[in-house]
Amino acid sequence: MKKQRLEGIGKEIMRVISKVILEEVKNPKIKGLVSVTEVDVTEDLKFADTYFSILPPLNSDEKQYDSEEILEALNEIKGFLRKRVAEEVDIRYTPEIRVKLDNSMENAMKITKLLNDLKV
C-alpha cells in the first residue's frame, strides 16, 4: 500500500480517537491532558500503533499522577476505540489499536531544565 494512503488513514484514525477521548470517554483513571501525538498504521492494515502524550493535571501533585496507570486505562478501552474508528473511518479492515506512550514532551522538558541549569 502506498505510504501516502497509510499516512492518510493514520491521520483519520488519530482524528477519531482524539475526538472520542475528548468527548466520550468517562473513565476516571484517564486524567490530565491525554492527547494522540501520532498513529502509525502497518502496511497490511492489521495494527495501528497509537502514541499518546500524557501530561499531569495542572492542579495536582505528582504523587497522584501515574502515566502507567493512565496507559493501562487506555489499553482497557482500546476495543471501544477500535469500534468507534470502524464506525467513522470507511476502510475494509479496521486495524487493531496498540497503545504506546510518547515520552517526547517529558524528554523535551528534561532537556530544557538541564539547559536552564547550565545557564545559571
Side-chain angles (χ1 to χ4, degrees), residues 18-101:
S18 296
K19 185 178 107 179
V20 168
I21 287 179
L22 181 66
E23 298 174 357
E24 298 179 29
V25 173
K26 305 293 184 216
N27 190 334
K29 292 180 185 176
I30 301 174
K31 53 189 171 238
L33 179 62
V34 178
S35 59
V36 182
T37 57
E38 185 178 351
V39 175
D40 289 332
V41 182
T42 58
E43 280 193 40
D44 58 0
L45 292 178
K46 297 280 185 193
F47 299 101
D49 293 330
T50 308
Y51 294 90
F52 289 90
S53 174
I54 304 170
L55 297 175
L58 294 175
N59 299 336
S60 73
D61 53 355
E62 288 292 318
K63 294 174 185 166
Q64 288 181 308
Y65 168 74
D66 183 17
S67 61
E68 292 300 319
E69 180 181 314
I70 296 170
L71 195 63
E72 185 179 309
L74 288 169
N75 268 311
E76 291 172 5
I77 65 165
K78 67 182 180 181
F80 172 70
L81 295 175
R82 183 179 185 191
K83 177 183 170 209
R84 294 294 288 127
V85 167
E87 291 171 355
E88 293 201 27
V89 180
D90 189 24
I91 50 178
R92 182 177 294 163
Y93 182 82
T94 305
E96 181 181 330
I97 309 286
R98 293 193 291 200
V99 176
K100 300 191 177 201
L101 185 60

